[in-house]
Amino acid sequence: MAVTILVVEDEHAIQELIALNLKKAGHIVLCADDAEQAKKMVNNVLPDLILLDWMLPDTSGVEFARKLRREERTKAIPIIMLTARVQESDKIAGLEAGADDYVTKPFSPRELLARIKAVLRRRLPEMSDDVIESGGLKLDPATHRVHVQAGDESSKPVEIALGPTEFRLLHFLMAYKERVHTRAQLLDRVWGDHVFIEDRTVDVHIRRLRKILEAVGKENLVQTVRGTGYRFSVEHQEEHAE
């Protein structure tokens, strides 16, 4: 699945090489030469992942990572540090600053892409192309298809037709099954944090999603948690969807 990646690297040759390989892999790439420029970009568009060079001209990548982790809006962005430093103490410093992974230079494009995929799978499972199966539903992000197992296991799965927003919503909820999400969290993660729409928009799409799932008897998988938000659960189906 294509994700938006911010590359913060002051060496233009390295920056261009990384950007080229990320674009070839189907990702959307933003580039910044220093922390100040990166901060402005993050304020405009929240990236899905940041590749952050340790040595930057205005401030260190480690200090910038700390700043990102201190702010509510940016604290959950996965960060991969890029550096020529190989000492164990340096790696520990990067990880303690909030980095999710640490890649030492020189590195191959294949290694970097593999590290990115691993971090996204761990930190942002809704960004992964991995198939998710739960509660009799099978969701394939790569093909944008959802199937339900109707009847016994010998019967053929039935495809469920979902609109793009309902698909993203179901994908997110299934990726974090059993976890409760507020309307604001769903707006940020499914619609994007710079989309200015009302919280009640989430309710409308939840109702649409349940209506579609009702046709195959799976509407109770998407549940309302009173006073909090919504969750996908196979363990609390005695609680009726509202």
Side-chain angles (χ1 to χ4, degrees), residues 51-120:
L51 296 178
L52 180 58
D53 186 38
W54 183 296
M55 298 296 293
L56 295 172
D58 51 351
T59 186
S60 73
V62 169
E63 182 55 35
F64 185 53
R66 290 195 185 103
K67 290 179 180 178
L68 292 172
R69 288 291 178 252
R70 286 196 294 264
E71 296 184 15
E72 183 66 29
R73 182 170 172 268
T74 57
K75 68 180 183 180
I77 301 175
I79 299 171
I80 298 178
M81 297 289 297
L82 307 177
T83 179
R85 296 170 178 258
V86 297
Q87 296 296 322
E88 183 181 14
S89 59
D90 293 325
K91 293 181 180 180
I92 292 172
L95 295 172
E96 288 183 342
D100 295 275
D101 201 353
Y102 189 105
V103 181
T104 55
K105 300 175 182 177
F107 51 81
S108 71
R110 287 183 64 187
E111 178 190 4
L112 183 60
L113 289 170
R115 296 288 192 97
I116 289 170
K117 187 174 182 180
V119 168
L120 288 174

Side-chain angles (χ1 to χ4, degrees), residues 1-4 20-29 113:
M1 180 177 290
V3 299
T4 300
L20 177 63
N21 283 282
L22 292 177
K23 289 175 182 177
K24 282 183 178 180
H27 299 304
I28 301 165
V29 183
L113 289 170

Side-chain angles (χ1 to χ4, degrees), residues 108-225:
S108 71
R110 287 183 64 187
E111 178 190 4
L112 183 60
L113 289 170
R115 296 288 192 97
I116 289 170
K117 187 174 182 180
V119 168
L120 288 174
R121 185 185 295 114
R122 185 170 68 249
R123 288 290 304 276
L124 301 175
E126 79 276 14
M127 293 295 180
S128 170
D129 282 336
D130 293 346
V131 173
I132 303 175
E133 295 188 61
S134 184
L137 298 181
K138 180 178 181 180
L139 185 146
D140 187 343
T143 62
H144 270 243
R145 289 180 174 174
V146 179
H147 289 85
V148 61
Q149 186 64 50
D152 57 41
E153 294 184 0
S154 62
S155 59
K156 187 177 180 180
V158 176
E159 184 172 351
I160 304 171
L162 292 175
T165 301
E166 284 70 36
F167 182 90
R168 291 197 306 273
L169 185 56
L170 180 61
H171 186 192
F172 180 81
L173 291 171
M174 290 183 70
Y176 296 94
K177 65 182 180 181
E178 309 301 338
R179 286 177 56 179
V180 180
H181 302 276
T182 66
R183 293 179 178 87
Q185 288 170 335
L186 290 171
L187 283 174
D188 284 351
R189 299 292 291 275
V190 178
W191 279 264
D193 77 322
H194 271 55
V195 177
F196 300 104
I197 54 180
E198 295 182 357
D199 287 359
R200 292 295 173 182
T201 300
V202 176
D203 300 340
V204 172
H205 286 281
I206 286 286
R207 285 197 295 269
R208 289 179 184 173
L209 176 58
R210 284 182 179 146
K211 188 68 175 177
I212 295 168
L213 294 177
E214 185 179 9
V216 292
K218 297 295 183 180
E219 69 278 11
N220 283 342
L221 291 172
V222 178
Q223 301 163 3
T224 299
V225 180

